[in-house]
Amino acid sequence: DQVIDTFSKPEMKEAMGEEAAAQIKAHAEAMKAEGKTFCDCPACTKAREILKDLGVELEEPEVGEAEAEEPAAEEPEVTE
């Protein structure tokens, strides 16, 4: 979701170019539709390998788990 959000921003389209940003966003959307949760670009793939070598386990979240982990926004208390 972060990749999709990032490459939807006008700043990224300007920095990367409209076509490149659209291609990356489309790839991320396709990966999400396939149920993948991690970016498969060379940098992210290498980062996961390094983390694994360091003993850091990255677990694939279950579908809907990310939403469940976010705490609900609390309503501000109104005092008069």
Side-chain angles (χ1 to χ4, degrees):
D1 287 335
Q2 291 174 338
V3 174
I4 294 168
D5 292 342
T6 298
F7 287 92
S8 296
K9 294 180 180 179
E11 301 86 12
M12 190 57 73
K13 292 176 184 178
E14 185 178 319
M16 299 279 302
E18 189 83 29
E19 186 176 333
Q23 288 175 348
I24 294 169
K25 179 183 172 194
H27 178 68
E29 290 171 332
M31 288 178 39
K32 181 178 179 179
E34 293 173 9
K36 297 180 181 175
T37 55
F38 294 115
C39 178
D40 67 350
C41 80
C44 290
T45 300
K46 189 63 175 174
R48 281 193 310 280
E49 290 172 8
I50 292 168
L51 290 171
K52 184 177 178 183
D53 289 345
L54 293 172
V56 177
E57 294 294 325
L58 298 176
E59 295 182 20
E60 294 279 338
E62 294 180 22
V63 175
E65 183 177 315
E67 293 86 9
E69 290 178 4
E70 293 181 23
E74 292 185 24
E75 294 284 329
E77 188 175 316
V78 178
T79 55
E80 294 182 29

Coordinates of all heavy atoms in Angstrom, one line a residue:
D1 N 0.8 -1.2 0.0 CA 0.0 0.0 0.0 C 0.9 1.3 0.0 O 0.5 2.3 -0.6 CB -0.9 0.0 1.2 CG -2.1 -1.0 1.1 OD1 -2.4 -1.4 -0.1 OD2 -2.6 -1.4 2.1
Q2 N 2.0 1.2 0.7 CA 2.9 2.4 0.8 C 3.4 2.7 -0.6 O 3.6 3.9 -1.0 CB 4.0 2.2 1.8 CG 3.5 2.1 3.2 CD 4.6 1.8 4.2 OE1 5.6 1.2 3.8 NE2 4.4 2.2 5.4
V3 N 3.8 1.7 -1.4 CA 4.3 1.9 -2.7 C 3.2 2.6 -3.6 O 3.5 3.5 -4.3 CB 4.9 0.6 -3.4 CG1 5.3 0.9 -4.8 CG2 6.0 0.1 -2.6
I4 N 2.0 2.0 -3.5 CA 0.9 2.6 -4.3 C 0.7 4.0 -3.9 O 0.6 4.9 -4.8 CB -0.3 1.7 -4.1 CG1 -0.1 0.3 -4.7 CG2 -1.6 2.4 -4.7 CD1 -1.2 -0.7 -4.3
D5 N 0.6 4.3 -2.6 CA 0.4 5.7 -2.2 C 1.5 6.6 -2.6 O 1.3 7.7 -3.1 CB 0.3 5.7 -0.6 CG -1.0 5.1 -0.1 OD1 -1.9 4.9 -0.9 OD2 -1.0 4.7 1.1
T6 N 2.8 6.2 -2.5 CA 3.9 7.0 -2.8 C 3.9 7.3 -4.3 O 4.1 8.5 -4.7 CB 5.2 6.3 -2.5 OG1 5.3 6.0 -1.1 CG2 6.5 7.1 -2.9
F7 N 3.7 6.4 -5.2 CA 3.8 6.6 -6.6 C 2.5 7.2 -7.2 O 2.4 7.5 -8.4 CB 4.2 5.4 -7.3 CG 5.7 5.1 -7.1 CD1 6.1 4.3 -6.1 CD2 6.6 5.8 -7.9 CE1 7.5 4.1 -5.9 CE2 8.0 5.6 -7.7 CZ 8.4 4.8 -6.6
S8 N 1.5 7.5 -6.3 CA 0.3 8.2 -6.7 C 0.5 9.7 -6.5 O -0.3 10.5 -7.0 CB -0.9 7.8 -5.9 OG -1.2 6.4 -6.2
K9 N 1.5 10.1 -5.7 CA 1.7 11.5 -5.4 C 2.3 12.3 -6.5 O 3.1 11.9 -7.3 CB 2.7 11.6 -4.2 CG 2.1 11.1 -2.9 CD 3.1 11.2 -1.8 CE 2.5 10.6 -0.5 NZ 3.4 10.6 0.6
P10 N 1.8 13.6 -6.7 CA 2.3 14.4 -7.8 C 3.8 14.6 -7.7 O 4.4 14.7 -8.8 CB 1.5 15.7 -7.6 CG 0.3 15.4 -6.8 CD 0.7 14.2 -6.0
E11 N 4.3 14.7 -6.5 CA 5.8 14.9 -6.3 C 6.6 13.8 -6.9 O 7.6 14.0 -7.5 CB 6.1 15.1 -4.9 CG 5.4 16.3 -4.2 CD 4.1 15.9 -3.6 OE1 3.7 14.7 -3.5 OE2 3.4 16.8 -3.2
M12 N 6.1 12.6 -6.7 CA 6.8 11.4 -7.3 C 6.7 11.3 -8.8 O 7.6 11.0 -9.5 CB 6.3 10.1 -6.6 CG 7.1 8.9 -6.9 SD 8.9 9.1 -6.5 CE 8.8 9.0 -4.7
K13 N 5.5 11.7 -9.3 CA 5.3 11.7 -10.7 C 6.2 12.7 -11.4 O 6.8 12.5 -12.4 CB 3.8 12.0 -11.1 CG 2.9 10.9 -10.7 CD 1.4 11.3 -10.9 CE 0.5 10.3 -10.5 NZ -0.9 10.7 -10.7
E14 N 6.4 13.8 -10.7 CA 7.3 14.9 -11.2 C 8.8 14.4 -11.2 O 9.5 14.6 -12.1 CB 7.1 16.2 -10.4 CG 7.9 17.3 -11.0 CD 7.7 18.6 -10.2 OE1 6.5 18.9 -9.8 OE2 8.7 19.3 -9.9
A15 N 9.1 13.8 -10.0 CA 10.5 13.3 -9.9 C 10.9 12.2 -10.8 O 12.0 12.1 -11.3 CB 10.8 13.0 -8.4
M16 N 10.0 11.2 -10.9 CA 10.3 10.0 -11.7 C 9.9 10.1 -13.1 O 10.3 9.3 -13.9 CB 9.6 8.8 -11.0 CG 9.9 8.4 -9.6 SD 11.4 7.5 -9.5 CE 11.1 6.1 -10.4
G17 N 8.9 11.0 -13.4 CA 8.3 11.0 -14.7 C 7.0 10.3 -14.6 O 6.8 9.3 -13.9
E18 N 6.0 10.8 -15.3 CA 4.6 10.3 -15.2 C 4.6 8.8 -15.6 O 3.9 8.0 -14.9 CB 3.7 11.1 -16.2 CG 2.3 10.8 -16.1 CD 1.6 11.6 -15.0 OE1 2.1 12.7 -14.6 OE2 0.6 11.1 -14.5
E19 N 5.3 8.4 -16.7 CA 5.2 7.0 -17.1 C 5.8 6.1 -16.2 O 5.3 5.0 -15.9 CB 5.9 6.9 -18.5 CG 5.7 5.5 -19.1 CD 6.3 5.5 -20.5 OE1 6.4 6.5 -21.2 OE2 6.7 4.3 -20.9
A20 N 7.0 6.4 -15.7 CA 7.7 5.5 -14.7 C 6.9 5.3 -13.4 O 6.8 4.2 -12.9 CB 9.1 6.1 -14.4
A21 N 6.4 6.4 -12.9 CA 5.6 6.4 -11.7 C 4.3 5.5 -11.9 O 4.0 4.7 -11.1 CB 5.2 7.8 -11.2
A22 N 3.7 5.7 -13.1 CA 2.5 4.9 -13.4 C 2.8 3.4 -13.5 O 2.1 2.5 -13.0 CB 1.9 5.4 -14.7
Q23 N 4.0 3.1 -14.1 CA 4.4 1.7 -14.2 C 4.7 1.0 -12.9 O 4.2 -0.1 -12.6 CB 5.7 1.5 -15.1 CG 5.4 1.8 -16.5 CD 6.7 1.8 -17.4 OE1 7.8 1.8 -16.8 NE2 6.5 1.8 -18.7
I24 N 5.4 1.8 -12.0 CA 5.7 1.2 -10.7 C 4.4 1.0 -9.9 O 4.2 0.0 -9.2 CB 6.7 2.1 -9.9 CG1 8.0 2.1 -10.7 CG2 6.8 1.7 -8.5 CD1 9.0 3.1 -10.2
K25 N 3.5 2.0 -9.9 CA 2.2 2.0 -9.2 C 1.4 0.8 -9.7 O 0.8 0.0 -8.9 CB 1.4 3.3 -9.4 CG 0.1 3.2 -8.7 CD -0.7 4.5 -9.0 CE -2.1 4.4 -8.4 NZ -2.9 5.5 -8.9
A26 N 1.3 0.6 -11.1 CA 0.6 -0.5 -11.6 C 1.2 -1.9 -11.2 O 0.4 -2.8 -10.9 CB 0.6 -0.4 -13.2
H27 N 2.5 -2.0 -11.1 CA 3.1 -3.2 -10.7 C 2.7 -3.5 -9.2 O 2.4 -4.6 -8.9 CB 4.6 -3.1 -10.9 CG 5.4 -4.3 -10.4 ND1 5.3 -5.6 -11.0 CD2 6.2 -4.5 -9.3 CE1 6.0 -6.4 -10.3 NE2 6.6 -5.8 -9.3
A28 N 2.8 -2.5 -8.4 CA 2.5 -2.6 -7.0 C 1.0 -3.0 -6.8 O 0.7 -3.9 -6.0 CB 2.7 -1.3 -6.2
E29 N 0.1 -2.4 -7.6 CA -1.3 -2.8 -7.5 C -1.5 -4.3 -8.0 O -2.3 -5.0 -7.4 CB -2.1 -1.9 -8.4 CG -2.2 -0.5 -7.8 CD -2.8 0.5 -8.8 OE1 -2.8 0.4 -10.0 OE2 -3.4 1.5 -8.3
A30 N -0.8 -4.7 -9.0 CA -0.9 -6.1 -9.5 C -0.4 -7.1 -8.4 O -1.0 -8.1 -8.1 CB -0.1 -6.3 -10.7
M31 N 0.7 -6.7 -7.7 CA 1.2 -7.5 -6.6 C 0.2 -7.6 -5.5 O 0.0 -8.7 -4.9 CB 2.6 -7.0 -6.1 CG 3.7 -7.2 -7.1 SD 5.3 -6.5 -6.5 CE 5.3 -6.8 -4.8
K32 N -0.4 -6.5 -5.2 CA -1.4 -6.5 -4.1 C -2.6 -7.4 -4.5 O -3.1 -8.2 -3.6 CB -1.8 -5.1 -3.8 CG -2.8 -5.0 -2.7 CD -3.2 -3.6 -2.4 CE -4.2 -3.5 -1.3 NZ -4.6 -2.1 -0.9
A33 N -3.0 -7.3 -5.7 CA -4.1 -8.1 -6.2 C -3.8 -9.6 -6.1 O -4.7 -10.4 -5.9 CB -4.5 -7.7 -7.6
E34 N -2.5 -9.9 -6.2 CA -2.1 -11.3 -6.1 C -1.9 -11.8 -4.7 O -1.6 -12.9 -4.4 CB -0.8 -11.5 -6.9 CG -0.9 -11.4 -8.4 CD 0.5 -11.4 -9.1 OE1 1.5 -11.7 -8.4 OE2 0.5 -11.0 -10.3
G35 N -2.1 -10.8 -3.7 CA -2.0 -11.2 -2.3 C -0.6 -11.0 -1.8 O -0.3 -11.4 -0.6
K36 N 0.3 -10.4 -2.5 CA 1.7 -10.2 -2.0 C 1.7 -9.0 -1.1 O 1.0 -8.0 -1.4 CB 2.6 -10.1 -3.2 CG 2.7 -11.3 -4.0 CD 3.7 -11.2 -5.2 CE 3.7 -12.5 -6.0 NZ 4.5 -12.3 -7.2
T37 N 2.5 -9.1 -0.1 CA 2.6 -8.0 0.9 C 3.9 -7.2 0.9 O 3.9 -6.2 1.5 CB 2.3 -8.5 2.3 OG1 3.3 -9.6 2.6 CG2 0.9 -9.1 2.5
F38 N 4.9 -7.7 0.2 CA 6.2 -7.1 0.2 C 6.5 -6.7 -1.2 O 6.3 -7.4 -2.2 CB 7.3 -7.9 0.8 CG 7.1 -8.3 2.2 CD1 6.9 -9.5 2.7 CD2 7.2 -7.3 3.2 CE1 6.8 -9.8 4.0 CE2 7.1 -7.5 4.5 CZ 6.9 -8.8 4.9
C39 N 7.2 -5.5 -1.3 CA 7.7 -5.1 -2.6 C 8.7 -6.0 -3.1 O 9.5 -6.6 -2.4 CB 8.3 -3.7 -2.4 SG 9.0 -3.0 -3.9
D40 N 8.8 -6.3 -4.4 CA 9.7 -7.2 -5.0 C 10.8 -6.5 -5.8 O 11.6 -7.2 -6.6 CB 9.0 -8.3 -5.9 CG 8.4 -7.7 -7.1 OD1 8.3 -6.4 -7.3 OD2 8.0 -8.5 -8.0
C41 N 11.0 -5.2 -5.6 CA 12.1 -4.5 -6.3 C 13.4 -5.0 -5.8 O 13.5 -5.5 -4.7 CB 11.9 -3.0 -6.2 SG 12.5 -2.3 -4.6
P42 N 14.5 -4.8 -6.6 CA 15.8 -5.3 -6.1 C 16.2 -4.7 -4.8 O 16.8 -5.5 -4.0 CB 16.7 -4.8 -7.3 CG 15.8 -4.7 -8.5 CD 14.5 -4.3 -7.9
A43 N 16.0 -3.5 -4.5 CA 16.4 -2.9 -3.2 C 15.7 -3.6 -2.0 O 16.3 -3.9 -1.0 CB 16.2 -1.4 -3.2
C44 N 14.3 -3.7 -2.1 CA 13.6 -4.3 -1.1 C 13.9 -5.8 -0.9 O 13.9 -6.3 0.2 CB 12.1 -4.1 -1.3 SG 11.6 -2.4 -1.1
T45 N 14.1 -6.5 -2.0 CA 14.5 -7.9 -2.0 C 15.8 -8.1 -1.3 O 15.9 -8.9 -0.4 CB 14.5 -8.5 -3.4 OG1 13.3 -8.3 -4.0 CG2 14.9 -9.9 -3.4
K46 N 16.8 -7.2 -1.6 CA 18.1 -7.3 -0.9 C 18.0 -7.0 0.6 O 18.6 -7.6 1.4 CB 19.1 -6.4 -1.6 CG 20.5 -6.5 -1.1 CD 21.0 -7.9 -1.5 CE 22.5 -8.1 -1.1 NZ 22.9 -9.5 -1.3
A47 N 17.1 -6.0 0.9 CA 17.0 -5.6 2.3 C 16.4 -6.7 3.1 O 16.8 -7.0 4.2 CB 16.0 -4.4 2.4
R48 N 15.4 -7.5 2.5 CA 14.8 -8.6 3.2 C 15.9 -9.7 3.4 O 15.9 -10.4 4.4 CB 13.6 -9.2 2.4 CG 12.3 -8.4 2.7 CD 11.1 -9.1 2.2 NE 11.2 -9.6 0.8 CZ 11.0 -8.8 -0.3 NH1 10.7 -7.5 -0.1 NH2 11.1 -9.4 -1.5
E49 N 16.7 -9.9 2.4 CA 17.8 -10.9 2.5 C 18.8 -10.5 3.6 O 19.2 -11.4 4.4 CB 18.6 -11.0 1.2 CG 17.8 -11.7 0.1 CD 18.6 -11.6 -1.3 OE1 19.8 -11.2 -1.3 OE2 18.0 -11.9 -2.3
I50 N 19.1 -9.3 3.7 CA 20.0 -8.8 4.8 C 19.4 -9.0 6.1 O 20.0 -9.5 7.1 CB 20.4 -7.3 4.6 CG1 21.3 -7.2 3.3 CG2 21.1 -6.7 5.8 CD1 21.5 -5.8 2.8
L51 N 18.1 -8.6 6.3 CA 17.4 -8.8 7.5 C 17.4 -10.2 7.9 O 17.6 -10.6 9.1 CB 16.0 -8.2 7.5 CG 16.0 -6.6 7.4 CD1 14.6 -6.1 7.1 CD2 16.5 -6.0 8.7
K52 N 17.1 -11.1 6.9 CA 17.0 -12.5 7.2 C 18.4 -13.0 7.7 O 18.5 -13.8 8.7 CB 16.6 -13.3 6.0 CG 16.4 -14.8 6.2 CD 16.0 -15.5 4.9 CE 15.8 -17.0 5.2 NZ 15.4 -17.7 4.0
D53 N 19.5 -12.6 7.1 CA 20.8 -13.0 7.5 C 21.1 -12.5 8.9 O 21.9 -13.1 9.6 CB 21.9 -12.4 6.5 CG 21.9 -13.1 5.2 OD1 21.2 -14.2 5.0 OD2 22.5 -12.5 4.2
L54 N 20.5 -11.4 9.3 CA 20.7 -10.9 10.7 C 19.8 -11.5 11.7 O 19.8 -11.2 12.9 CB 20.5 -9.3 10.7 CG 21.5 -8.5 9.9 CD1 21.1 -7.1 9.8 CD2 22.9 -8.7 10.6
G55 N 18.9 -12.4 11.2 CA 18.1 -13.1 12.1 C 16.7 -12.5 12.3 O 15.9 -12.9 13.2
V56 N 16.4 -11.5 11.5 CA 15.1 -10.8 11.6 C 14.1 -11.5 10.7 O 14.3 -11.7 9.6 CB 15.2 -9.3 11.2 CG1 13.9 -8.6 11.3 CG2 16.2 -8.6 12.1
E57 N 13.0 -12.0 11.4 CA 12.0 -12.7 10.6 C 10.9 -11.7 10.2 O 10.3 -11.0 11.1 CB 11.4 -13.8 11.5 CG 12.4 -14.9 11.7 CD 12.8 -15.7 10.5 OE1 12.0 -15.9 9.6 OE2 14.0 -16.1 10.4
L58 N 10.6 -11.6 8.9 CA 9.5 -10.8 8.5 C 8.4 -11.8 8.1 O 8.5 -12.6 7.2 CB 9.9 -10.0 7.2 CG 11.0 -9.0 7.4 CD1 11.4 -8.4 6.1 CD2 10.6 -7.9 8.4
E59 N 7.3 -11.7 8.9 CA 6.2 -12.6 8.6 C 5.2 -11.9 7.7 O 5.0 -10.7 7.7 CB 5.5 -12.9 10.0 CG 6.3 -13.6 10.9 CD 5.6 -14.0 12.2 OE1 4.3 -13.9 12.2 OE2 6.3 -14.2 13.2
E60 N 4.6 -12.7 6.8 CA 3.6 -12.3 5.9 C 2.3 -12.1 6.8 O 1.8 -13.0 7.4 CB 3.3 -13.3 4.8 CG 4.5 -13.6 3.9 CD 4.6 -12.5 2.8 OE1 3.5 -11.9 2.5 OE2 5.6 -12.4 2.3
P61 N 1.8 -10.8 6.8 CA 0.6 -10.6 7.5 C -0.6 -11.3 6.8 O -0.6 -11.5 5.6 CB 0.4 -9.1 7.5 CG 1.2 -8.6 6.4 CD 2.3 -9.6 6.2
E62 N -1.5 -11.8 7.6 CA -2.7 -12.4 7.1 C -3.6 -11.3 6.4 O -3.5 -10.1 6.8 CB -3.5 -13.1 8.1 CG -2.8 -14.3 8.7 CD -3.6 -15.0 9.8 OE1 -4.8 -14.9 9.8 OE2 -3.0 -15.7 10.6
V63 N -4.4 -11.7 5.5 CA -5.3 -10.7 4.8 C -6.1 -10.0 5.9 O -6.7 -10.7 6.7 CB -6.2 -11.4 3.8 CG1 -7.2 -10.4 3.2 CG2 -5.3 -12.0 2.7
G64 N -6.1 -8.7 5.9 CA -6.9 -7.9 6.8 C -6.2 -7.7 8.1 O -6.7 -6.9 8.9
E65 N -5.1 -8.3 8.4 CA -4.3 -8.1 9.6 C -3.8 -6.7 9.8 O -3.9 -6.2 10.9 CB -3.2 -9.1 9.7 CG -2.4 -9.1 11.0 CD -1.3 -10.1 11.1 OE1 -1.5 -11.2 10.7 OE2 -0.2 -9.7 11.5
A66 N -3.4 -6.1 8.7 CA -2.8 -4.7 8.8 C -3.9 -3.8 9.3 O -3.6 -2.9 10.2 CB -2.3 -4.3 7.5
E67 N -5.1 -3.9 8.8 CA -6.2 -3.0 9.3 C -6.5 -3.3 10.7 O -6.8 -2.4 11.5 CB -7.4 -3.2 8.4 CG -7.3 -2.8 7.0 CD -6.7 -3.9 6.1 OE1 -6.5 -5.1 6.6 OE2 -6.3 -3.6 4.9
A68 N -6.4 -4.5 11.2 CA -6.8 -4.9 12.5 C -5.8 -4.3 13.5 O -6.1 -4.0 14.7 CB -6.9 -6.4 12.7
E69 N -4.5 -4.2 13.1 CA -3.5 -3.7 14.0 C -3.6 -2.2 14.3 O -3.1 -1.7 15.3 CB -2.1 -4.0 13.5 CG -1.8 -5.5 13.5 CD -0.5 -5.8 12.9 OE1 0.3 -4.9 12.5 OE2 -0.1 -7.0 12.7
E70 N -4.2 -1.4 13.4 CA -4.2 0.0 13.6 C -5.3 0.3 14.6 O -6.4 -0.1 14.5 CB -4.6 0.7 12.3 CG -3.5 0.6 11.2 CD -3.9 1.3 9.9 OE1 -4.8 2.2 10.0 OE2 -3.4 0.9 8.9
P71 N -4.9 1.1 15.7 CA -5.8 1.4 16.7 C -6.9 2.4 16.1 O -6.6 3.2 15.3 CB -5.0 2.1 17.8 CG -3.8 2.5 17.1 CD -3.5 1.6 15.9
A72 N -8.1 2.3 16.6 CA -9.1 3.2 16.2 C -8.9 4.6 16.7 O -8.4 4.7 17.8 CB -10.5 2.7 16.6
A73 N -9.2 5.6 15.9 CA -9.0 6.9 16.3 C -10.0 7.2 17.4 O -11.1 6.9 17.3 CB -9.1 7.9 15.1
E74 N -9.5 7.9 18.5 CA -10.4 8.2 19.6 C -11.0 9.6 19.3 O -10.4 10.5 18.8 CB -9.6 8.3 20.9 CG -9.1 6.9 21.3 CD -8.4 7.0 22.7 OE1 -8.7 7.9 23.5 OE2 -7.6 6.1 23.0
E75 N -12.2 9.7 19.7 CA -12.9 10.9 19.5 C -12.4 11.9 20.6 O -12.3 11.5 21.8 CB -14.5 10.7 19.7 CG -15.1 9.9 18.7 CD -15.3 10.6 17.4 OE1 -15.5 11.8 17.4 OE2 -15.2 10.0 16.3
P76 N -12.1 13.1 20.2 CA -11.7 14.1 21.2 C -12.8 14.4 22.2 O -14.0 14.4 21.8 CB -11.3 15.3 20.4 CG -11.9 15.2 19.1 CD -12.2 13.7 18.9
E77 N -12.5 14.5 23.5 CA -13.4 14.8 24.5 C -13.8 16.3 24.4 O -13.0 17.2 24.3 CB -12.9 14.5 25.9 CG -13.9 14.6 26.9 CD -13.3 14.2 28.3 OE1 -12.6 13.2 28.3 OE2 -13.6 14.9 29.3
V78 N -15.1 16.5 24.3 CA -15.6 17.9 24.2 C -16.0 18.4 25.6 O -16.8 17.8 26.3 CB -16.9 17.9 23.3 CG1 -17.4 19.4 23.2 CG2 -16.5 17.4 21.9
T79 N -15.4 19.5 26.0 CA -15.7 20.1 27.2 C -16.2 21.5 27.0 O -15.7 22.2 26.2 CB -14.5 20.1 28.2 OG1 -13.4 20.8 27.5 CG2 -14.0 18.7 28.5
E80 N -17.2 21.9 27.8 CA -17.8 23.2 27.6 C -17.7 24.0 28.9 O -17.6 23.6 29.9 CB -19.3 23.1 27.2 CG -19.4 22.5 25.9 CD -20.9 22.4 25.4 OE1 -21.7 23.3 25.8 OE2 -21.2 21.5 24.7

